Amino acid sequence: MQDNLRLLFIGDIVGKPGRSAVKTLLPGLIDKLKIDFIIANGENAAGGFGITEKVAKELFQQRIHVLTTGNHVWDKKEDISYIAKEPHILRPFNYPPGVPGQGSIIYELNGLKIGVINLAGRVFMTPVDCPFRTGLAEVERISEITKIIIVDIHAEATSEKIALGYYLDGKVSAVIGTHTHVQTADERILPGGTAYITDVGMTGPLDSIIGIEVPQIIERFLYQMPKKFEVAKGRTVFSAVVVDVNTKTGLARSIQRLYLTGQ
């Protein structure tokens, strides 16, 4: 069994520009960086809000193994039944009991078992169950099967994400933040051996306000009136992190940010 797993985690894919950036850049990155396993947050991949069966299949064709989501997971209501039955698309694990879909997966890759857990934060977000208690319980369950566990914490508050990172330090391979669409420069290995970053950032239109056309967002702030949001066009950005994991201990060896801009 290989002693190192190289993981690529792609930040929130926004609309067609984000999908195009993935299609253009991912094949070269896989070869250049010798990537073994790919996770991407896809909750904004379909028109900037939600995910559909067609879009998910398009992303899986790009060799993405697992798609995580967040608070926009149900925005495309016509595809709830697909998300509910597709094990490689995760919705936040700490949603209330009875919510469709699954919040974690144990993925088998060439004989190696990899756990992925999707959690949602509660600060400035829609109320959900406690990500700390529910997350730890699922970590403990999965750790009976594999030591390699990746956590996507989809949350607004920096403090909540950092707190979860330390709470799970030494128990998981990586805690990776999503949701704000702005990449942070605080990637590091925590004292217990868990790779951490507050937000991996966005993969989508660069000349935008978190993926949306600039005038539309400015107008919303100026007038506080309802406004239809559209995914911006133009140059793209590809935001991700590369994490090396010791497959024997499940702890991280390194974490590196990627921030690639294109045409």
Side-chain angles (χ1 to χ4, degrees), residues 32-47:
K32 179 181 178 181
L33 299 176
K34 295 180 172 51
I35 300 298
D36 300 307
F37 189 69
I38 303 169
I39 304 169
N41 189 288
E43 72 150 9
N44 299 122

Side-chain angles (χ1 to χ4, degrees), residues 22-242:
V22 168
K23 187 175 182 179
T24 300
L25 295 172
L26 187 54
L29 288 173
I30 292 172
D31 293 338
K32 179 181 178 181
L33 299 176
K34 295 180 172 51
I35 300 298
D36 300 307
F37 189 69
I38 303 169
I39 304 169
N41 189 288
E43 72 150 9
N44 299 122
F49 302 94
I51 188 166
T52 64
E53 180 176 359
K54 180 180 178 181
V55 165
K57 288 180 176 178
E58 177 186 334
L59 293 172
F60 288 137
Q61 287 175 356
Q62 304 306 315
R63 296 166 66 182
I64 292 171
H65 296 92
V66 176
L67 288 167
T68 56
T69 60
N71 55 301
H72 288 293
V73 61
W74 309 123
D75 282 11
K76 299 292 189 272
K77 295 178 178 58
E78 64 274 18
D79 285 271
I80 289 177
S81 60
Y82 169 71
I83 296 169
K85 68 183 181 182
E86 172 50 68
H88 301 104
I89 299 178
L90 303 183
R91 48 81 171 160
F93 182 82
N94 54 320
Y95 274 11
V99 171
Q102 47 281 316
S104 68
I105 186 174
I106 298 174
Y107 194 106
E108 188 160 346
L109 180 74
N110 301 323
L112 196 65
K113 291 182 171 64
I114 304 165
V116 183
I117 303 172
N118 195 174
L119 295 172
R122 296 191 293 184
V123 181
F124 309 125
M125 302 278 285
T126 302
V128 290
D129 294 342
C130 176
F132 293 82
R133 292 186 176 88
T134 56
L136 180 59
E138 185 65 357
V139 166
E140 290 174 342
R141 183 190 74 84
I142 291 177
S143 64
E144 295 293 323
I145 303 168
T146 179
K147 295 180 180 179
I148 305 170
I149 305 173
I150 313 299
V151 176
D152 174 349
I153 173 61
H154 195 79
E156 185 78 27
T158 298
S159 58
E160 187 177 25
K161 293 180 182 180
I162 296 174
L164 186 72
Y166 278 104
Y167 185 69
L168 297 179
D169 185 25
K171 298 179 177 68
V172 301
S173 308
V175 174
I176 297 173
T178 59
H179 178 65
T180 71
H181 293 198
V182 179
Q183 189 179 83
T184 54
D186 63 338
E187 76 283 5
R188 60 193 185 272
I189 306 296
L190 297 175
T194 294
Y196 174 82
I197 187 168
T198 297
D199 204 289
V200 67
M202 174 190 74
T203 296
L206 177 63
D207 299 311
S208 70
I209 297 176
I210 61 173
I212 303 301
E213 289 282 2
V214 172
Q216 294 173 357
I217 298 294
I218 291 176
E219 190 172 323
R220 177 67 177 269
F221 278 115
L222 284 173
Y223 302 113
Q224 297 295 306
M225 295 291 291
K227 183 74 179 178
K228 181 181 179 181
F229 291 155
E230 298 171 315
V231 176
K233 300 176 178 63
R235 297 183 299 166
T236 59
V237 61
F238 181 99
S239 301
V241 289
V242 178

Side-chain angles (χ1 to χ4, degrees), residues 1-5 112 148 245-250 253:
M1 185 176 70
Q2 66 187 80
D3 66 356
N4 189 77
L5 175 75
L112 196 65
I148 305 170
V245 178
N246 183 322
T247 59
K248 295 179 180 178
T249 65
R253 289 187 165 114

